[in-house]
Amino acid sequence: SGWPSVNVFPYLSPNPSNFMPFQIEIERDMEEEDLRISVVDVYDLASEIGKEFEKIIDRNGAEAVTGLMPRVISALEQLEKLATRHESTSSYIQELRATIIHLENEKIGKAEDRQRYER
């Protein structure tokens, strides 16, 4: 299917007082923020590398980068694919989180209604 396997059940707490199911996830996401790279970041990086290659070529001739350039281009292409996959996966995870929050709120609401009805 292309989407990662996500186990959402650990976040569904039977305790309705648990209002922060993603607190740990959010903290981990913030710590990992520096490790993330967007497609735009990859394009910016490719542009900077291209400018550096031009400087090397101007000083030393095209032969100086002939062997390296295809490898760098290949690495940048792979990085672009990974960044694209990360962006779509992140979007999917955000949708799942929103669904979980909605379901948890619905569950809490039903529990409150049940308590009112039982009184």
Side-chain angles (χ1 to χ4, degrees):
S1 69
W3 295 114
S5 174
V6 177
N7 183 1
V8 296
F9 296 111
Y11 302 113
L12 297 178
S13 169
N15 180 356
S17 66
N18 184 7
F19 291 107
M20 296 296 288
F22 299 110
Q23 185 172 1
I24 294 170
E25 285 292 317
I26 291 169
E27 288 172 3
R28 186 170 55 220
D29 288 348
M30 289 169 53
E31 290 170 2
E32 294 174 0
E33 191 66 35
D34 292 336
L35 302 176
R36 295 189 180 153
I37 188 165
S38 71
V39 174
V40 173
D41 293 334
V42 175
Y43 295 155
D44 291 344
L45 183 60
S47 175
E48 292 170 17
I49 290 171
K51 290 174 187 171
E52 291 300 317
F53 272 139
E54 288 174 7
K55 289 178 188 176
I56 294 170
I57 290 169
D58 289 344
R59 277 183 271 155
N60 305 308
E63 305 80 34
V65 296
T66 303
L68 182 61
M69 195 175 294
R71 292 182 181 121
V72 171
I73 291 170
S74 177
L76 288 168
E77 287 171 344
Q78 290 299 315
L79 188 56
E80 178 189 19
K81 288 177 188 175
L82 291 171
T84 300
R85 186 179 307 156
H86 169 73
E87 288 176 358
S88 64
T89 301
S90 291
S91 188
Y92 181 65
I93 289 170
Q94 287 303 107
E95 290 174 26
L96 288 174
R97 287 178 175 168
T99 300
I100 290 168
I101 289 169
H102 172 76
L103 291 172
E104 286 179 335
N105 288 336
E106 212 173 79
K107 179 180 165 183
I108 291 167
K110 287 180 181 180
E112 289 170 351
D113 289 346
R114 202 171 20 254
Q115 283 179 345
R116 274 189 235 116
Y117 177 75
E118 290 172 358
R119 289 181 191 170

